[in-house]
Amino acid sequence: MNASRIIRLAFPFILNYVVYYIYLFTPEIYPIMNKIYIIGYGAIGKVLAVALKLNGHEVCIIRGSIADAPPQLQEITVESASGNWPSTEIHIGSLQQFRSLEDGIIVLANKSFGNARLSEVLQSKVGNAPIVIMQNGLGVERSFIEKGFSNIYRTVLFATSQNLQDGLVRFKPVAASAVGVVKGNEQLLNETVEQLNTPQFPFRAEKSIQPVIWKKAISNCVFNSICPLLETDNGIFHRDENALALARRIIAECVEIAAAEGIRLHADEVEASLLQISRSSDGQLISTYQDILNKRETEIETLNLEVAAIAQRLHKQHVVRETRLLGELTLLKSKLHR
Ligand SMILES: NC(=O)C1=CN([C@@H]2O[C@H](COP(=O)(O)OP(=O)(O)OC[C@H]3O[C@@H](n4cnc5c(N)ncnc54)[C@H](OP(=O)(O)O)[C@@H]3O)[C@@H](O)[C@H]2O)C=CC1
Ligand SMILES: CC(C)(CO)C(=O)C(=O)O
């Protein structure tokens, strides 16, 4: 065999290696992910930060609503049914402090109504680093897609967390929270999940995230409107047949819109999941009700009102009359209280 034939035969293998090494060592193509930046010093952000730090990760919480918060160390304690986790010091900073976040995973644990502004600020700092959106609702990833972020992942949380005091949070994990690809690839998804997953706050990769997003969002359309309007806790649906009957009407409407979007869900499975959440968070107030009581903006626009907007786009607004009305009432109640 002559030399040129050997080179010709070997060429595909050499090319493979070259591409592989460029892939591995070029941060523009393959993010480094040494650190975890959590945006939002709220109930979820604090617990996630503590769980990750306890498992040896370098983690920093970045304030979501405050642009110029001075860097500080804050001790956070997490209360859980199996006992308190060791109190842990967490670095808190602000976006102004960081020129680039390209060496990490960026977790959005802020309220979704902050996404439009945050996506603008993050645009020049993120590069190809994965963004993990850890919020309830539909369409919460829109501003990141529109601005051309390259790796967008979406989590559906199966856990509840509640702020008790500034450095004290109560956490209840129910199951491993699902993470799936909105834009990106499965390999980066798996590596991102591997980084985020801890025994205290478990995550799992989900290949088909859209049905999971819709199922949880429909439950939230029920909880986040009916509970604040009735001024009651999440347990109402397993305690009261009439409340459950109302929930069924909202579920039926939303399941029809999900189907029109190509997401097949059965009303019965959504109801079963709603009842499970209602039982496991009996006595707890849903975030929207807490937000109204604390005179804060709510996420209702990415729940009932987003389902209504999707229905309108599909010329099916007649299908979601009750879902929309409850959403509008919740929005009005929130505005009247602020
Ligand atoms: N708590 C729970 O049990 C669950 C929560 N979720 C979802 O997780 C997400 C976080 O919830 P949770 O931690 O409970 O919420 P919190 O209200 O406790 O905290 C949310 C954080 O969002 C940030 N924020 C508020 N307004 C803005 C704004 N305008 N711009 C940017 N950031 C803002 C604030 O961060 P900072 O103080 O740094 O400014 C705030 O602390 C929500 O989308 C929620 O729906 C889902 C399931 C369960
Ligand atoms: C419905 C519930 C309680 C489930 O985690 C939730 O999503 C929330 O608190 O916002």
Side-chain angles (χ1 to χ4, degrees):
M1 213 186 295
N2 64 25
S4 77
R5 189 165 154 72
I6 293 174
I7 290 170
R8 237 184 304 126
L9 285 176
F11 185 71
F13 298 101
I14 295 166
L15 190 66
N16 241 349
Y17 269 104
V18 171
V19 170
Y20 179 69
Y21 278 98
I22 291 174
Y23 182 65
L24 272 188
F25 295 117
T26 309
E28 275 75 34
I29 296 175
Y30 199 80
I32 301 168
M33 310 202 308
N34 282 334
K35 299 184 182 137
I36 298 170
Y37 301 105
I38 300 168
I39 301 190
Y41 183 57
I44 291 292
K46 290 174 194 171
V47 175
L48 181 64
V50 173
L52 291 165
K53 179 95 186 269
L54 287 175
N55 287 275
H57 289 278
E58 200 178 322
V59 52
C60 178
I61 295 183
I62 298 178
R63 299 302 304 265
S65 63
I66 306 173
D68 55 356
Q72 56 163 307
L73 274 174
Q74 174 74 44
E75 188 160 291
I76 298 174
T77 306
V78 178
E79 209 183 88
S80 86
S82 53
N84 285 7
W85 303 356
S87 289
T88 305
E89 280 202 324
I90 300 292
H91 284 277
I92 320 282
S94 62
L95 272 171
Q96 239 177 35
Q97 205 185 306
F98 297 91
R99 209 170 53 84
S100 162
L101 304 173
E102 290 186 43
D103 57 348
I105 295 172
I106 297 101
V107 176
L108 291 182
N110 59 286
K111 286 287 175 63
S112 56
F113 46 78
N115 287 5
R117 185 186 53 81
L118 283 172
S119 62
E120 272 170 29
V121 186
L122 287 171
Q123 209 169 12
S124 61
K125 298 181 191 277
V126 164
N128 287 315
I131 295 235
V132 182
I133 301 179
M134 216 164 268
Q135 300 162 344
N136 280 334
L138 296 168
V140 295
E141 52 282 313
R142 188 175 300 128
S143 45
F144 296 92
I145 297 173
E146 284 170 359
K147 291 195 176 65
F149 283 74
S150 37
N151 289 303
I152 308 171
Y153 300 90
R154 176 71 202 272
T155 300
V156 176
L157 287 173
F158 298 117
T160 61
S161 185
Q162 208 177 334
N163 277 311
L164 300 178
Q165 293 157 27
D166 190 28
L168 182 64
V169 208
R170 182 181 297 142
F171 183 59
K172 209 191 233 186
V174 177
S177 296
V179 192
V181 178
V182 173
K183 190 176 167 196
N185 62 66
E186 247 177 62
Q187 191 193 343
L188 192 52
L189 168 70
N190 290 335
E191 287 172 25
T192 301
V193 170
E194 204 177 298
Q195 296 278 326
L196 295 179
N197 182 38
T198 62
Q200 291 88 344
F201 196 153
F203 291 91
R204 65 175 174 84
E206 168 62 58
K207 279 196 174 156
S208 177
I209 195 71
Q210 288 305 327
V212 188
I213 292 173
W214 269 90
K215 191 167 159 186
K216 179 76 191 297
I218 296 174
S219 287
N220 280 112
C221 287
V222 173
F223 281 108
N224 295 53
S225 63
I226 295 179
C227 292
L229 291 171
L230 293 179
E231 304 192 342
T232 192
D233 66 282
N234 293 353
I236 188 71
F237 302 104
H238 84 90
R239 292 194 307 258
D240 188 298
E241 253 311 309
N242 294 320
L244 183 59
L246 263 180
R248 281 194 188 115
R249 284 157 54 176
I250 302 305
I251 292 172
E253 288 188 357
C254 295
V255 162
E256 194 174 332
I257 297 304
E261 283 281 82
I263 311 291
R264 306 241 156 251
L265 292 170
H266 288 286
D268 288 353
E269 58 171 321
V270 181
E271 182 179 322
S273 146
L274 175 116
L275 280 170
Q276 193 202 348
I277 298 173
S278 180
R279 277 190 211 97
S280 67
S281 59
D282 191 273
Q284 206 168 300
L285 301 185
I286 193 74
S287 52
T288 298
Y289 188 19
Q290 291 184 41
D291 290 338
I292 291 175
L293 291 173
N294 291 308
K295 303 186 187 305
R296 293 189 300 242
E297 198 171 336
T298 76
E299 294 185 305
I300 203 70
E301 270 143 303
T302 50
L303 297 168
N304 301 51
L305 298 178
E306 180 65 19
V307 175
I310 295 170
Q312 178 134 13
R313 172 168 52 76
L314 299 168
H315 306 292
K316 285 183 174 286
Q317 47 276 49
H318 55 282
V319 172
V320 290
R321 286 206 179 100
E322 297 191 352
T323 303
R324 186 179 55 237
L325 178 62
L326 292 184
E328 284 168 351
L329 285 170
T330 308
L331 183 65
L332 184 57
K333 179 163 183 159
S334 145
K335 284 187 174 155
L336 293 175
H337 270 72
R338 292 178 77 207

